[in-house]
Amino acid sequence: MNLVTQLNDIAVALKQEFPFILHILAIVWCVQLVNVGVGNRLKLLGILPRTLIGIPGILLSSFIHGDWNHLFTNSLFFVAMGSMVIINGKKLFYTVSLSIILISGSMVWLCGRRAWHVGASSLIMGYWSFLMTRAYFNPNLVDLISAGLGVYYCGIHLTASLMANGPGVSEEGHISGFIAGIVTAVYYESIAYQLSGWVALVL
């Protein structure tokens, strides 16, 4: 398969799958509207480390944001990184997303500071590290382009995010997401097998 054909396949896949990324984003924005309507109480569905009430947040926290600025910033990078993941197909996208959410959320629940952790930053960091790790171990054109664009357009911001700290910033989430993306890339086949039942439910 020549270079032009491969690039055309990437463009076709992106055109086909991009609306799905926007649909997910629309859901997250609707969640924020509800959150504002209830006085930001949806943060109680986030991760509160080492508590029973915080366990549902392992799955739900990525859909909840602290404020509009938090959501807007994450939206831009979710569209960028999510699009690069989904051009490999919806099955891979679902598997990678679920794996990163579960691994990073569990790490935050086990090791995070005692505070409510919400936001899609860990998922986005996971996408980024997944793409870079996959490109390193499996240097095909799609993954190399995806990783390259991710580094070029998002690398500086995401690296700064990885090292960010301070009030209202979950550096544990950023670091956990980054690690989760690497683990997902290295053990993708095994993880895909383990999550196959869950992924089948949404396909």
Side-chain angles (χ1 to χ4, degrees):
M1 185 181 295
N2 60 45
L3 178 61
V4 174
T5 300
Q6 292 183 66
L7 289 173
N8 182 66
D9 289 344
I10 293 172
V12 170
L14 186 57
K15 181 179 179 180
Q16 178 180 343
E17 303 296 354
F18 188 70
F20 181 74
I21 293 290
L22 296 183
H23 289 159
I24 295 176
L25 192 61
I27 292 172
V28 176
W29 276 73
C30 288
V31 170
Q32 178 62 14
L33 283 172
V34 173
N35 194 26
V36 171
V38 298
N40 205 34
R41 290 186 179 87
L42 289 187
K43 73 176 183 180
L44 299 178
L45 296 177
I47 300 172
L48 186 61
R50 296 172 299 283
T51 65
L52 290 176
I53 196 174
I55 291 176
I58 293 173
L59 278 174
L60 300 176
S61 61
S62 293
F63 297 92
I64 304 165
H65 290 79
D67 54 43
W68 290 108
N69 184 61
H70 186 202
L71 174 59
F72 181 75
T73 302
N74 276 352
S75 294
L76 295 177
F77 288 98
F78 172 76
V79 169
M81 307 306 328
S83 296
M84 294 174 196
V85 174
I86 205 170
I87 60 177
N88 293 282
K90 276 197 178 73
K91 181 178 179 180
L92 181 139
F93 177 81
Y94 281 127
T95 301
V96 169
S97 299
L98 187 55
S99 174
I100 292 170
I101 286 172
L102 289 173
I103 294 173
S104 64
S106 297
M107 290 177 65
V108 171
W109 188 86
L110 287 169
C111 305
R113 79 188 91 168
R114 187 61 69 89
W116 290 103
H117 297 257
V118 296
S121 298
S122 58
L123 178 60
I124 296 165
M125 291 300 305
Y127 285 158
W128 185 41
S129 61
F130 172 83
L131 290 167
M132 291 194 299
T133 305
R134 186 177 167 92
Y136 177 80
F137 286 107
N138 181 34
N140 62 61
L141 184 62
V142 173
D143 292 323
L144 287 172
I145 290 176
S146 298
L149 289 174
V151 170
Y152 182 77
Y153 286 108
C154 308
I156 294 176
H157 178 87
L158 292 178
T159 300
S161 175
L162 181 63
M163 298 183 292
N165 56 62
V169 178
S170 175
E171 62 264 31
E172 302 99 317
H174 297 169
I175 294 170
S176 297
F178 192 80
I179 293 171
I182 295 173
V183 171
T184 301
V186 172
Y187 298 102
Y188 176 78
E189 295 300 330
S190 176
I191 290 172
Y193 176 77
Q194 296 296 327
L195 297 179
S196 59
W198 287 23
V199 171
L201 291 176
V202 292
L203 287 178

